[in-house]
Amino acid sequence: MNPYDRNRVLATIFTAALVILLTTFKPALSMELRSYHITCNPDEFEYINSHPDENIYIDCTFEFNGDEWNDARFRIRGESSRQYPKKSYKVNFDAHNRFRNRDKLNLISEYTDASFAREFLSYDFYHRAGLLASRTWFARLYVNGTYMGLYLDVEQIDECFLGAAGLPRDATIYKADVDGCLLRTSDRIDEVWQKKTNLETGWYDLLELIEWLDTVPLEWFFDELDGYFDREELARIIAVNGVIGNTSTYYHNYYLIHDHGQDGLWRMLPWDIDRTFRYYYSFTSPGFYRCYRWNLGTNILISNCWRNREMRELIYDQMQGLVDSLFREDYYRAMSDTLSELLYQAVRDDSLKAFTLDRFTVEIDSFPIFADRRGAAIIDMMTEYAAPFDLERAIITPAGVFFSWDSTFVPDGSPFSYNVIVSTEPTLPVNNRIEIGNLHNTYLLYDELGAGTYYWKVRALTNRASKTSCLNYNSSFTVPENGFNATVVDGQINESTTLTAAQSPYSLPDGLTVAANAVLTIEAGVIVGIGADRSIRIEGGLSAIGTEADSIRFVPLNPTQTWGEIYLDRPTHPVRFSHVVISGGDSLVRGEEAELDIFDSCLRNGVKAVRTFDSEVDLERVKFEDFSDEVVNLVHGTAVIRGCRFSHGPLELDKGDLLDLDSLSQALVDRCALFGSVDDGIDIGEVSHAVLINNRILRSTDKGISIGGGTDDIYVANNIITGCRTGITVKTPAGVRIFNNVIAFNSLYGMWIYHPNDISRAYVRNTVLWRNGTEIMLSDNGIIDMAYSMVQDDTLYPGEGILRSDAHFIDQWSNNFELTDNSPLIDAGYGTGNPPLDYYEAPRVDVPDKENTGAGAIPYVDIGAFEYGSVGNVEDDTPERPESFLLLEIYPNPFNSSVKVDFDVIARSYVMLEIFDITGRRVFVRRFENAAPGRHSTLLGGRNNEGLGLASGVYICRVGQTAGVKSIK
């Protein structure tokens, strides 16, 4: 049995009902003291030590126990430790001449640890808890015959580690390499993470994990976590970090391993865990629930685990088991005695150590009392402290800052209150902060702050004066220049008016009406507060054009009460929003017979987001989140919906689609992501013409796409639909064309074709139906014309080219349905009526060494949403596309308060839109990162990048590909 398997057996001791007390001294890791000898060029060794910031390898010979490795190399390792007098080193071995099946040694100097043992004991605790972690060995290090001191050799997490641990060697390893690895969508993934294996497949699985964490409702978190992590294992990892006080993880210094081939699960592993076994304030600090750096924020995976009741109880059970059975004084008394005897002479002879030999002895002898008191403090905190909770975002309103946070409780039932702390310094020091205490609600509206940037946090205090701080150490907000001296506006605006940033914030206690033919213009940075149940009625026009750096915000005057809506009452002018945040209303935007554009904005926290009747609606790059009913509901008129993101769908009701399109004359839904609806992702009924293309739909409680009666000319292509109850339903006699979709892992049906009173038809080509409960269900007059597709089950369907073999996706568990080079789906599709580009907007290509088994005008189209081997080169016989960026239209021209610019993109790239005056001076620029091929639109206000108004005159607009824009994958 290898050591990793042995430790998994030990994991069975942790249950709330049964605790096995370990009475024998049995460390999990080797207690030997090795001697490593390195021989190298002395001048080169002196150079790397005098230039520690340079990652320079030098050749060396490595010797251990009489064996030599003559082709080794080594360098300085670490971050801040590079500046220590005693350096840490990394030794690399040739792949054909490994050191005991290891490619690398990490030799840690333990310069800041007087005991030399904190990191060893931490890894030992991980192994004793049955968790996957590096092995360690103590070693004396000699370089060119000179004793360099006592080191800890820590096993590298790499392919060799995977093999020794019994994990597939082709698993993907990610290292949280730099501060900021918080698993949030705001993380700069390629700058803070290192991908150590499978570099050719990119970051798809880590991005998918982060996307799930960002969109999963907390109510669903525990159930869905089971598809990403082993819940008990993750709970034990969090419990171990809490018990040992690991203050250097979750934001940095951990690994994620993704076993994408077998079960799709992730595993979290520790790294660089020297900041442990150090307790302060009666052994209650660091708190067991918050082990990350205060100024960076909170890791969303860990935060969700603590905020979710079922997961929190599981962590508490694991922590109780750890304290009762493993983290015990008797074990650490025996360990201290053994370590003291083993390491004493090596420490004594270490001339580069930072502490005295007496300090070493004191630190080694302190571990038993540390374990005893820390364990008791953990149990006390779990019982008599408030449970972990977190902050919501602070909302700036004209009436003050609205603070809100999770509710909490004390397990033993003790009373408690909340304390809000605000400061201009992120550390929130005692000598520079405001404290508002004795609060019993989970919110506070506070108006006694001047302009500037502030930081805040919340504590829950019991009558024992115990303090539980929020998971996120602090959160920041900015009070505008005018503070809360709001400009009050009410009544009716009869002439075109501008709400200026200089007069912001604005208070509309009784709402506002913009009369017909008048246009209300709102400048970037303006805050508009709306009274409870009050609305803004637009009979004329509205132009709210913010900027990326300075958005416009519509908020409730009192965030404990909702305002009404922005109601577009047959407006005489267009209504346009760009870079706005609209929150806290009922139906945030509702309109009749309106021309409505919303671009680059966020709508959140309402009943419905957008409802229109008989209107022309254009929604592009809009984020919708936290609604309790249908999010977007458009009836009659037309709709263009591109690049939008729908998440946190309705949770309070048993109905409510994310996107409901009814009786429209035409609709386009392109490149949208829709996550987590309690009803349908997209519901289409009685729509004359619709194209649904390149969308991703996950976790709809009912249907991913529902195509109802009365629809005509519906084209569904390049969509990925997973985790729903049913992928696509069709009940229209007009028929639906379904091309190049992936419909997988839906619990009931992949496709359901039915109609209670008439015939319902579906024309299906190049589509994958994979691991659905039932791949295809035909009932009540359902008819399917299906060919050149992948159907996993054994049901036979008429038509040619139906495949049933293994599809060979890159990673089905992470919704990566790209094809590997041995997939039978390559060049096996039907090339007439198919979308000319795939899900990534790459063109169809013929793979030379693959037999074309497809048919149609282009017989080498691949089945599924992805075209294997396409690198963006357009083949001669693919459909024609523009040869250059095409500036389609600028309207209205001349414009009054805003202008809409439409342009085409020929290939995925970084696009820059520039405006110049007639002297050639650039006055405005906007970049679009990773813009997909096809039509794009943007809204511009009459202001430059500095927010200053542009003078009347003629301007030149240019669109082109940018240079030097960094990709954030």
Side-chain angles (χ1 to χ4, degrees), residues 389-418:
F389 64 98
D390 212 353
L391 308 176
E392 304 292 344
R393 68 172 61 84
I395 301 173
I396 306 300
T397 81
V401 184
F402 183 75
F403 303 110
S404 61
W405 53 92
D406 296 338
S407 61
T408 187
F409 66 98
V410 179
D412 70 359
S414 299
F416 66 94
S417 62
Y418 298 106

Side-chain angles (χ1 to χ4, degrees), residues 482 559 745:
N482 291 332
F745 297 103

Side-chain angles (χ1 to χ4, degrees), residues 13-16 18-22 317-328 375 379:
I13 66 173
F14 302 108
T15 66
L18 176 63
V19 176
I20 302 174
L21 302 183
L22 303 184
D317 287 345
Q318 296 289 333
M319 199 167 286
Q320 178 80 54
L322 290 171
V323 171
D324 288 345
S325 60
L326 296 184
F327 203 71
R328 295 176 52 79
I379 301 303

